Amino acid sequence: MKLSLFRWLAVFSILAMILAGCAPQAAAPAEAPAAPAAAATSAPRVGAPEAEMPVAPTTAPKAAEAEAAEAPAVEAEAVGWPVPHLDEYMNAAREETLIVDRPNRLEGGDNWNPLVPGNATGFGYQTIGKAPIALLNLGTGQIENYLAESLTSNADSSVWTIVLKKGITWSDGHPFTVDDIIYSIDIQKNTPGLGAYGTYLEWIKETNKIDDLTVEIVLNKPNPRFALERFSGHLCGYDEIVAKHVWEQQPDPLTFKNLDLDKGWPLTLGPYVLTKVTPNETIMVRNDNWWAAKIGFRPLPAPKRVIHSFVGAEEVRVATGADNGFDVMEDITLSSFEALIGRNDKWEAFQKELPYVYPDPCARTLTLNNLVVPWNDKDMRWMLSNVMDRPQIIDIAYEGTTIPGAYFWPLYGSMQKYTDLVPQDKAEWMLTPHLDEAEKTLLEKGYTKTGDFWTKDGEILSLEIQVHEAFSELERIADVYIEQLIRFGIDAKKSKLTGGTWGDNNALGQYEAQSGWQTCGSVMEPYGTLRTLIGTDGVAPIGERPVGRQNLYRFFNERYNELVDEIGLLQLDDPKLPELAREAYEILYDELPAIPTAQSRKLVPNNFTYWTNWPDAENYYAKPFSWCGQFIEVITQIQPVTQ
């Protein structure tokens, strides 16, 4: 069944109202028994009202500051390692085990250093091993403190103060204090090649320890969005904090693998610890000494064991899920979901009816390398956009479950006032292909149609689009677009890459085009997306990673940089913000450094055979993504099905 564009616009409007307050590996899993005959019973549902997106706080309560200043050093109970019941939980029964689908291979399985590229932390550590300073709940639209007791700023947002909860410990029982935060910031700020090096170098001037529970982060310039972007997981992840007492003993943070299961490494602040790594699977077990449960902040999760597993292509994943080999799956197609529920009616999606999906916060784009000839010419970039038949991409790649994309951000209600600022003639133009204009551009540039393809100086015009092997959605977009390009006369092809290679090529500029989402950022205001294209430190040469304020697209426009820098300093309610955003959008839609393709969505089914109280449109207590940091909230809320 296909949804018409107009019907989907209506559906998306409803989803936008839902979200008006808010806005990715292992051998086959342990053999799963057949679904029990008894029907699942529903656990009490956790509801959440709609709310407005938060505006970052501007002043810290004086009483809280005074109390934190007097807080004594944190003393942890000497529980040590291993965590309780480790061997028992390693062999937990199926009904006590949560199995998570990973669509990509487990690359770098010996590397659990979260600060370097190519690590394996996406197999559980990032979601149930970490814990955030604070967490943006897209269900309630509020930033909720997690490790922090409070997270506040001064009047101009140039100084941010974090006060930690008392009683937080690492999984080895060692106290977690602001020393870990300061160490994690300093080591990344001072070590080129580590995860947040460029960001911290740009933004953080110094850190000041007030006491074991209180730290001031002094910025180089005001940033009202600092907490939202760095600590809250507003899109999917949040900044890394590592254990100082382990890391300071290592000779080189760039080569430290952070993996020694006998020592409990990697240490965690979340409710689970890593206990086994195989070529395409990891096992994590529950830490019954988890600090959050001991201080009454969060309950211990019900699953005693969590397996993250890569089993192969989508059809294999679906077959595994139908046999109860998964409890939660990453994105699949509509036809795959229909096949899944046709074999096992215990699976449900975020929406109970068509289109079943959750609107993803990262709009899909064709990433272009703006240093590569001829795509360094904006007219040639617009030519590629004019060839693109976006409605056909929706019909084929998405099976009608989303809408065409003329925007670099999601069409959430919280973004509407900024979406309205985009030049509407450009946005409307993109909704249909314009092959006559594309042909006109090529003729003006000296190309001629020779046989099936356009040529210039004896060279056939070609385009290679790289795709990540784990994301069939992005591959399907590329497949449809490549067919459109070939039909028009451009010799297009697809290169399917592993995740590590895809990511490295993106960072090093070793690509012409990629099917991706790299303008992801804005869910409530314009800066998050606009900043992905600033390049005030120039353009990194191909073969070198961008440093500081150099974007992955190798795009440079001086006026655009000035505007985005000014926007970044404004409070979210500043009346100048829309005015500056409008001018930035005019440049963005004139230069078109990347090409928007579609509004994204995720069809992410959950299995109610063993576990219930999954988040959905009616029970929207957390974002339903098992690969994002918000999954720590889901795993503490799901409950076993009563057999």
Side-chain angles (χ1 to χ4, degrees):
M1 176 179 179
K2 297 289 190 295
L3 291 178
S4 70
L5 175 59
F6 295 105
R7 183 180 172 192
W8 229 105
L9 285 168
V11 172
F12 220 86
S13 297
I14 294 171
L15 290 174
M17 292 174 65
I18 293 173
L19 295 173
C22 73
Q25 305 182 19
E31 183 178 352
T41 59
S42 298
R45 289 191 174 272
V46 181
E50 294 181 21
E52 293 298 319
M53 281 295 291
V55 174
T58 56
T59 57
K62 299 300 181 183
E65 290 179 348
E67 179 182 349
E70 298 172 359
V74 178
E75 295 294 337
E77 181 182 343
V79 293
W81 176 261
V83 299
H85 309 293
L86 187 148
D87 292 335
E88 174 190 347
Y89 291 175
M90 274 282 290
N91 298 289
R94 176 63 179 94
E95 61 269 19
E96 298 175 316
T97 300
L98 182 75
I99 307 180
V100 181
D101 164 42
R102 298 296 292 131
N104 54 293
R105 292 180 177 88
L106 175 53
E107 297 183 85
D110 65 334
N111 183 5
W112 290 77
N113 179 342
L115 305 183
V116 297
N119 62 66
T121 59
F123 266 69
Y125 174 86
Q126 294 287 349
T127 54
I128 58 176
K130 290 175 63 175
I133 296 291
L135 195 61
L136 174 59
N137 187 318
L138 292 179
T140 66
Q142 299 296 315
I143 293 180
E144 302 170 355
N145 290 325
Y146 212 96
L147 296 173
E149 184 68 32
S150 65
L151 175 58
T152 55
S153 75
N154 63 351
D156 71 350
S157 302
S158 63
V159 179
W160 288 84
T161 301
I162 301 172
V163 180
L164 295 176
K165 288 180 169 66
K166 298 178 182 180
I168 303 176
T169 60
W170 290 96
S171 50
D172 65 351
H174 194 282
F176 171 73
T177 72
V178 298
D179 290 337
D180 297 300
I181 297 176
I182 293 170
Y183 177 83
S184 300
I185 290 175
D186 288 348
I187 195 176
Q188 294 183 81
K189 182 181 177 183
N190 298 324
T191 311
L194 292 187
Y197 169 71
T199 298
Y200 287 169
L201 196 64
E202 175 187 357
W203 286 105
I204 299 181
K205 180 180 181 181
E206 62 186 18
T207 53
N208 298 320
K209 178 179 179 180
I210 308 303
D211 56 45
D212 281 350
L213 297 179
T214 310
V215 61
E216 281 186 347
I217 301 176
V218 182
L219 305 184
N220 290 315
K221 50 191 173 183
N223 186 348
R225 303 159 182 83
F226 188 74
L228 177 70
E229 295 176 349
R230 303 265 55 89
F231 303 134
S232 76
H234 75 298
L235 292 176
C236 196
Y238 36 84
D239 285 9
E240 300 290 345
I241 303 173
V242 298
K244 179 185 177 184
H245 67 285
V246 171
W247 282 71
E248 67 183 353
Q249 305 298 321
Q250 310 309 317
D252 186 354
L254 286 166
T255 60
F256 178 43
K257 296 298 184 67
N258 193 32
L259 180 65
D260 189 328
L261 299 182
D262 291 336
K263 295 179 180 178
W265 298 353
L267 297 185
T268 66
L269 291 168
Y272 290 85
V273 294
L274 182 69
T275 56
K276 187 175 182 179
V277 181
T278 70
N280 273 313
E281 180 178 281
T282 62
I283 297 178
M284 302 183 75
V285 302
R286 190 177 70 197
N287 177 11
D288 285 7
N289 280 324
W290 186 37
W291 64 268
K294 295 180 74 172
I295 70 172
F297 174 62
R298 287 290 189 272
L300 271 180
K304 295 179 179 179
R305 178 177 64 159
V306 180
I307 300 174
H308 288 76
S309 183
F310 167 76
V311 298
E314 184 165 315
E315 60 269 22
V316 182
R317 294 166 52 212
V318 171
T320 302
D323 291 337
N324 290 322
F326 291 132
D327 296 298
V328 56
M329 295 186 68
E330 283 208 26
D331 185 41
I332 59 176
T333 64
L334 174 61
S335 55
S336 289
F337 177 67
E338 290 172 339
L340 177 65
I341 59 177
R343 291 181 55 183
N344 186 337
D345 63 3
K346 297 294 186 182
W347 284 91
E348 296 182 12
F350 184 76
Q351 296 183 74
K352 299 299 187 247
E353 305 293 339
L354 279 169
Y356 300 119
V357 301
Y358 178 90
D360 187 80
C362 298
R364 297 323 193 214
T365 58
L366 183 72
T367 300
L368 293 173
N369 190 329
N370 285 234
L371 282 184
V372 173
V373 178
W375 319 121
N376 59 336
D377 182 343
K378 72 176 184 180
D379 294 337
M380 292 296 286
R381 298 194 292 267
W382 264 105
M383 182 275 298
L384 290 177
S385 179
N386 284 332
V387 174
M388 185 176 289
D389 187 336
R390 292 171 175 85
Q392 186 181 66
I393 289 175
I394 302 308
D395 287 343
I396 299 176
Y398 285 96
E399 300 176 290
T401 57
T402 187
I403 58 175
Y407 303 98
F408 297 89
W409 51 85
L411 293 179
Y412 289 172
S414 51
M415 278 297 294
Q416 189 62 52
K417 66 180 179 181
Y418 297 106
T419 300
D420 290 342
L421 299 176
V422 171
Q424 288 305 296
D425 58 335
K426 298 288 181 66
E428 293 174 3
W429 179 270
M430 288 182 178
L431 294 180
T432 56
H434 300 275
L435 300 183
D436 54 341
E437 289 295 324
E439 182 174 342
K440 179 180 177 182
T441 297
L442 291 179
L443 291 172
E444 290 175 348
K445 299 293 179 179
Y447 288 87
T448 59
K449 191 74 172 291
T450 305
D452 293 332
F453 297 110
W454 291 93
T455 63
K456 182 179 181 180
D457 300 328
E459 296 290 331
I460 293 175
L461 181 60
S462 62
L463 180 68
E464 178 191 68
I465 302 177
Q466 298 178 358
V467 299
H468 191 306
E469 67 168 3
F471 303 109
S472 57
E473 170 205 355
L474 300 178
E475 184 177 357
R476 292 193 300 271
I477 293 174
D479 287 341
V480 178
Y481 185 44
I482 286 170
E483 183 179 335
Q484 295 171 359
L485 289 169
I486 292 174
R487 189 163 56 242
F488 174 70
I490 297 175
D491 187 14
K493 65 179 181 179
K494 174 182 70 177
S495 291
K496 190 172 180 178
L497 308 175
T498 63
T501 303
W502 186 85
D504 284 344
N505 284 4
N506 181 256
L508 296 170
Q510 295 173 335
Y511 69 94
E512 281 188 279
Q514 289 188 334
S515 180
W517 58 80
Q518 289 88 343
T519 59
C520 191
S522 290
V523 294
M524 58 179 286
E525 55 86 34
Y527 182 72
T529 286
L530 292 175
R531 70 170 185 167
T532 65
L533 289 153
I534 56 176
T536 54
D537 290 336
V539 179
I542 293 175
E544 295 183 14
R545 293 181 184 275
V547 176
R549 299 164 60 73
Q550 297 174 334
N551 62 79
L552 299 169
Y553 304 84
R554 272 69 179 176
F555 168 70
F556 182 85
N557 181 289
E558 188 170 359
R559 178 55 182 160
Y560 178 87
N561 294 335
E562 293 171 355
L563 288 165
V564 179
D565 278 347
E566 189 172 353
I567 288 171
L569 298 177
L570 299 179
Q571 296 291 338
L572 303 187
D573 57 354
D574 193 300
K576 290 181 61 179
L577 186 54
E579 173 188 342
L580 297 177
R582 184 192 299 275
E583 186 178 351
Y585 290 157
E586 290 174 353
I587 296 172
L588 180 59
Y589 280 82
D590 175 57
E591 294 277 355
L592 207 66
I595 301 174
T597 57
Q599 283 291 303
S600 183
R601 92 298 177 272
K602 293 293 185 183
L603 208 169
V604 283
N606 296 307
N607 189 347
F608 283 74
T609 299
Y610 298 105
W611 304 102
T612 189
N613 199 39
W614 294 101
D616 57 32
E618 298 174 357
N619 185 32
Y620 187 22
Y621 63 85
K623 186 177 181 179
F625 289 179
S626 60
W627 62 95
C628 283
Q630 290 90 346
F631 194 66
I632 195 172
E633 290 289 82
V634 177
I635 205 165
T636 57
Q637 295 285 353
I638 60 173
Q639 296 296 320
V641 170
T642 302
Q643 304 299 328

